[in-house]
């Protein structure tokens, strides 16, 4: 391992240059105009994995390809880890809010500003570099490695589960390792005990067959914008609970030990409020901010569309209204069931004279870890060594849809160890990742592979 760590130190500048090349490719999975870029990012990544000493392939799917890398030189007696990450990124818009262009990585005050620097190209690249450090610096690796990098995480991973099911035997492993999340604070490494799941839907409300003069028809014909607003207003009660019948049926009441460990974290509520810039923090009564984010489910409107929104006034009775509605889910909620409950509830509260249509867009299961046992201890040692502080256990309000599926299909536990920092602007303008965490994180991963070699055996 000393050789691998030394290799990391002496090649740090080149690693960063290569990361910048990766970040320059605008692999925006949601936009078909970027399909060639997304394909190029996959090829580029496969090239990096080959250069690191893995056997790598770009495997086609009905959507964006999966990049698969393998190194099985540690032999049958050594454990195998599967490293998962995603090379696709969110759209960079609104572009005018970026201080430097999203696909021209720029360092300011120790931060690499670029779309994907934190989510997830930077963190995925750290694994590829840590593998290179072992294979080129030490000539070997203490574990067998499979890398699965997908190009569709940001659009709900529609083709990954079939891929994993099809490749089940080839992907057989002892643990899945993922770096696609954040540390609780700078200098405080973190291991995840949970991720929320997701159910994402579109709700359409319609009345007349076309837009109407609001004077000639208003008062006698339904208004889809008003109707949709009324329906959406029934989704919560006055205590911030979701008011859809059956919604909480399978919601896990977390154990007191987990809630106590959340309370023990050094969380600065006022600082959190300041960073989001809201006048006050609000949510479900009876729960703290971190509990609301990590261990409680939510319902949000992500977008609303109806009627005239241009300059000045237009007297129109809109024919349609649309809302994007999503739920963050916790164990053991099921995204499909929640989608059905929403539809049933909306049909119940639908005003007369309005037709509705509910379309399911995508979903993902929530995930929860068992943080006791040798794998978490091994990760703890690696992180403490690299960061000089023992990791804390944290939840995560965001979702990584495939994690639960990996555990179920491959029958192994997942370890989520992320290196982004709070406020890193994932999905927003001016996304950043620190040079320090990139360098230190590679050191932590080099150590992690060695710790896992003994703890997973
Ligand atoms: N890496 C994020 C998940 C995440 C967010 C982890 C914040 C830690 C902190 C992931 O890429 C993501 O954005 N997931 C989407 C999933 C969706 C597009 C299916 C999410 O949570 O909205
Ligand atoms: Mn991500
Ligand atoms: Mn993301």
């Amino acid at each position: 391992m000393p050789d691998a760590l030394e290799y990391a130190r002496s090649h740090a500048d080149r690693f960063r240059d290569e990361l910048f090349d990766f970040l320059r490719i605008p692999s925006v999975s949601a936009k078909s105009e970027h399909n060639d870029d997304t394909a190029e990012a996959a090829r580029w990544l496969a090239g990096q994995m080959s250069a690191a000493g893995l056997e790598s392939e770009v495997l086609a799917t009905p959507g964006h390809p999966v990049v698969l890398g393998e190194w099985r030189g540690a032999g049958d007696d050594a454990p195998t880890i599967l490293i998962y990450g995603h090379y696709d990124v969110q759209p960079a818009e609104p572009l005018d809010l970026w201080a430097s262009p999203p696909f021209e990585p720029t360092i300011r005050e120790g931060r690499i500003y670029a779309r994907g620097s934190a989510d997830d190209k930077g963190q995925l690249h750290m694994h590829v570099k840590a593998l290179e450090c072992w294979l080129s610096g030490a000539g070997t690796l203490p574990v067998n490695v499979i890398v699965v990098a997908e190009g569709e995480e940001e659009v709900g991973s529609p083709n990954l589960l079939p891929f994993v099911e099809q490749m089940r035997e080839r992907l057989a492993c002892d643990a899945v390792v993922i770096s696609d999340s954040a540390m609780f604070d700078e200098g405080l490494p973190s291991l995840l005990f949970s991720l929320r799941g997701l159910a994402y839907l579109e709700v359409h409300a319609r009345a007349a067959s076309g837009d109407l003069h609001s004077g000639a028809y208003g008062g006698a014909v339904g208004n889809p914008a008003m109707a949709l607003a009324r329906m959406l207003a029934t989704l919560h009660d006055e205590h911030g609970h979701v008011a859809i019948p059956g919604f909480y049926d399978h919601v896990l009441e977390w154990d007191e030990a987990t809630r106590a460990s959340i309370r023990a974290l050094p969380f600065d509520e006022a600082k959190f409020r300041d960073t989001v810039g809201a006048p006050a923090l609000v949510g479900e009564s009876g729960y703290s901010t971190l509990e609301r984010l990590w261990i409680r489910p939510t319902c949000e409107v992500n977008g609303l569309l109806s009627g005239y929104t241009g300059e000045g006034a237009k007297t129109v009775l809109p024919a349609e209204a649309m809302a994007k509605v999503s739920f963050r889910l916790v164990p053991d909620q099921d995204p499909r069931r929640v989608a059905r409950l929403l539809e049933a509830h909306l049909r119940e509260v639908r005003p007369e004279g309005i037709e509705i249509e509910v379309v399911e867009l995508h979903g993902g299961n929530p995930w929860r870890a068992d943080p006791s046992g040798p794998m978490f201890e091994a990760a703890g040692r690696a992180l403490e060594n690299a960061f000089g502080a023992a990791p804390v256990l944290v939840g995560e309000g965001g979702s990584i849809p495939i994690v639960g599926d990996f555990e179920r299909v491959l029958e192994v536990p997942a370890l989520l160890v992320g290196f982004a920092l709070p406020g890193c602007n994932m999905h927003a303008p001016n996304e950043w990742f620190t040079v320090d965490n990139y360098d230190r994180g590679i050191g932590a991963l080099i150590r992690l592979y060695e710790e896992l070699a003994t703890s997973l055996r």
Side-chain angles (χ1 to χ4, degrees):
M1 187 171 68
D3 298 335
L5 291 170
E6 177 48 38
Y7 186 94
R9 269 187 293 275
S10 51
H11 293 82
D13 290 347
R14 172 173 59 84
F15 288 1
R16 199 177 314 143
D17 289 345
E18 290 171 356
L19 170 63
F20 276 33
D21 288 341
F22 194 20
L23 295 173
R24 280 189 196 102
I25 309 171
S27 48
V28 182
S29 52
K31 297 176 128 193
S32 53
E33 70 198 65
H34 283 296
N35 282 359
D36 290 347
D37 301 312
T38 306
E40 192 198 330
R43 283 192 303 273
W44 187 93
L45 182 60
Q48 280 271 301
M49 290 193 207
S50 300
L54 310 185
E55 279 178 32
S56 67
E57 291 176 71
V58 177
L59 298 171
T61 76
H64 300 299
V66 172
V67 184
L68 184 69
E70 289 169 289
W71 187 86
R72 298 180 186 274
D76 291 346
D77 291 341
T80 301
I81 61 168
L82 188 155
I83 297 165
Y84 162 82
H86 61 95
Y87 67 83
D88 65 322
V89 299
Q90 287 273 325
E93 287 79 2
L95 298 180
D96 52 316
L97 295 184
W98 285 78
S100 51
F103 299 107
E104 287 174 27
T106 308
I107 297 183
R108 290 192 298 277
E109 290 164 4
R111 294 171 171 183
I112 303 163
Y113 284 88
R115 172 57 88 231
S117 55
D119 186 11
D120 175 42
K121 284 159 131 180
Q123 303 198 58
L124 172 59
H125 196 246
M126 286 160 61
H127 276 281
V128 177
K129 293 293 107 177
L131 296 171
E132 177 184 330
C133 289
W134 270 107
L135 291 172
S136 296
T140 187
L141 254 166
V143 286
N144 300 302
V145 171
I146 306 165
V147 182
V148 173
E150 74 157 316
E152 299 189 310
E153 197 276 345
E154 299 292 10
V155 291
S157 303
N159 296 296
L160 193 58
L161 177 56
F163 174 90
V164 171
E165 281 170 337
Q166 229 168 40
M167 304 277 280
R168 209 175 78 92
E169 280 168 23
R170 189 157 162 199
L171 301 182
C173 60
D174 299 284
V176 175
V177 179
I178 302 174
S179 298
D180 187 22
S181 55
M183 312 206 311
F184 191 72
D185 201 356
E186 186 149 22
L188 190 54
S190 309
L191 294 167
L192 290 195
F193 67 75
S194 69
L195 285 165
R196 289 196 290 191
L198 184 66
Y200 202 120
L201 303 99
E202 238 173 57
V203 181
H204 297 262
R206 297 187 185 94
S209 56
D211 283 359
L212 298 170
H213 190 292
S214 68
Y217 297 93
V221 179
N223 183 321
M226 291 299 304
L228 185 60
R230 288 183 69 152
M231 288 188 278
L232 294 176
T234 68
L235 295 179
H236 292 91
D237 70 13
E238 69 276 25
H239 305 292
H241 303 299
V242 176
I244 299 171
F247 182 75
Y248 289 99
D249 281 358
H250 302 102
V251 168
L252 174 85
E253 278 301 326
W254 289 71
D255 52 295
E256 189 41 42
T258 301
R259 292 187 75 176
S261 79
I262 295 174
R263 277 196 298 274
L265 289 168
F267 182 61
D268 185 338
E269 186 122 355
K271 186 173 158 201
F272 178 83
R273 198 199 55 227
D274 284 351
T275 39
V276 297
L281 297 174
V282 295
E284 189 180 9
S285 66
Y287 296 92
S288 70
T289 295
L290 289 180
E291 288 175 335
R292 289 168 177 172
L293 292 172
W294 294 350
I295 66 171
R296 297 298 295 170
T298 62
C299 167
E300 300 285 353
V301 172
N302 302 109
L304 272 176
L305 191 68
S306 187
Y308 180 71
T309 56
E311 190 183 349
K314 179 186 181 192
T315 46
V316 66
L317 182 55
E320 287 190 28
M322 187 275 284
K324 307 257 184 190
V325 177
S326 71
F327 299 85
R328 293 290 168 168
L329 308 176
V330 300
D332 297 306
Q333 286 178 295
D334 170 20
R336 306 299 298 272
R337 179 172 183 274
V338 167
R340 283 197 300 273
L341 290 178
L342 173 72
E343 175 156 14
H345 171 77
L346 292 176
R347 296 210 174 280
E348 201 62 37
V349 299
R350 173 184 64 86
E352 209 184 327
I354 299 290
E355 283 168 354
I356 62 169
E357 186 190 357
V358 179
V359 185
E360 245 181 277
L361 296 188
H362 59 65
N365 289 311
W367 168 79
R368 168 163 77 120
D370 172 7
S372 63
M375 183 173 75
F376 273 73
E377 285 165 19
R381 286 190 296 276
L383 289 169
E384 181 159 9
N385 224 300
F387 286 88
V392 287
L393 274 177
V394 298
E396 171 52 54
S399 311
I400 307 175
I402 200 66
V403 178
D405 295 323
F406 269 137
E407 288 196 339
R408 186 176 43 80
V409 176
L410 303 178
E411 298 178 73
V412 295
L415 179 72
L416 278 87
V417 47
F419 301 101
L421 287 176
C424 68
N425 294 324
M426 281 188 187
H427 296 201
N430 304 309
E431 179 178 351
W432 54 269
F433 194 81
T434 63
V435 174
D436 193 49
N437 273 20
Y438 179 77
D439 294 341
R440 251 180 234 276
I442 290 173
L445 295 175
I446 289 171
R447 292 179 169 91
L448 176 66
Y449 304 153
E450 176 149 291
E451 291 286 353
L452 290 177
T454 47
S455 76
L456 293 174
R457 207 183 289 274

